[in-house]
Amino acid sequence: MKKTVVVYGSSTGTCETIAEKIGAKLGAEVLNVQDLTADVVSANDNLILGTSTWGAGELQDDWYDGLKVLQLADLSGKTIALFGCGDCESYSDTFVGGIGELYDGIKQSGAHFVGSVSTDGYTFDDSAAIVDGQFIGLPLDDVNEDNMTDSRIDAWIAAISPNL
């Protein structure tokens, strides 16, 4: 398996916990986005990137600097999978919008994106994380749908693993 790192931005710890679960299942290093450097990017073939969503569908605060690191790095030939946390009840009109913002910031990078997820089974009104009718990454609501988190992670990892 090619070298993989899971990078997360988390304000309350939810996205961090999910990143640790994903990292453990993939046998990958888990890193806070505050520690993301150009060297980390160049040393890894696969980047699993996770963010929580804040305000009106915005990235977690630490990701703004992390996004700059990614935008300045050479991502061509890298495989990227995205995941994110959101609140489908209180913020159903911006559900996991942070994933969409992260994708928009690096979609022209030459990287290969994997891990799109069907919107079936999710309850929400709108999301900036939908591309071509599917979520561009794994959306999770560990507050309102915590009973689905582990099975959604397992299904997503099974889907992306052949590409890593």
Side-chain angles (χ1 to χ4, degrees):
M1 182 181 275
K2 296 177 181 174
K3 192 161 183 203
T4 300
V5 64
V6 178
V7 182
Y8 68 89
S10 187
S11 296
T12 64
T14 302
C15 196
E16 178 180 8
T17 300
I18 289 168
E20 289 170 354
K21 285 182 184 184
I22 291 170
K25 290 176 184 286
L26 291 172
E29 177 184 10
V30 178
L31 191 68
N32 188 310
V33 68
Q34 293 172 337
D35 300 318
L36 182 63
T37 64
D39 289 341
V40 169
V41 174
S42 66
N44 288 277
D45 302 298
N46 306 310
L47 306 171
I48 313 297
L49 309 175
T51 183
S52 49
T53 299
W54 292 94
E58 299 161 10
L59 277 172
Q60 189 272 344
D61 287 342
D62 299 327
W63 261 113
Y64 289 101
D65 288 335
L67 190 54
K68 289 177 189 171
V69 170
L70 293 174
Q71 289 169 335
L72 293 173
D74 180 8
L75 299 179
S76 58
K78 306 264 184 208
T79 298
I80 296 178
L82 305 173
F83 70 95
C85 303
D87 182 333
C88 68
E89 290 185 12
S90 298
Y91 298 95
S92 69
D93 59 336
T94 59
F95 182 56
V96 295
I99 298 173
E101 220 177 292
L102 190 52
Y103 174 72
D104 286 345
I106 56 174
K107 67 183 176 186
Q108 301 298 326
S109 66
H112 174 65
F113 288 87
V114 298
S116 292
V117 173
S118 172
T119 58
D120 294 345
Y122 287 89
T123 304
F124 66 99
D125 292 320
D126 196 18
S127 177
I130 295 177
V131 175
D132 296 329
Q134 294 192 322
F135 287 109
I136 192 62
L138 174 65
L140 297 166
D141 182 343
D142 206 47
V143 174
N144 301 298
E145 299 178 341
D146 59 321
N147 60 320
M148 298 179 181
T149 296
D150 288 337
S151 62
R152 285 176 171 167
I153 290 172
D154 290 343
W156 185 68
I157 287 176
I160 67 170
S161 289
N163 299 294
L164 304 181

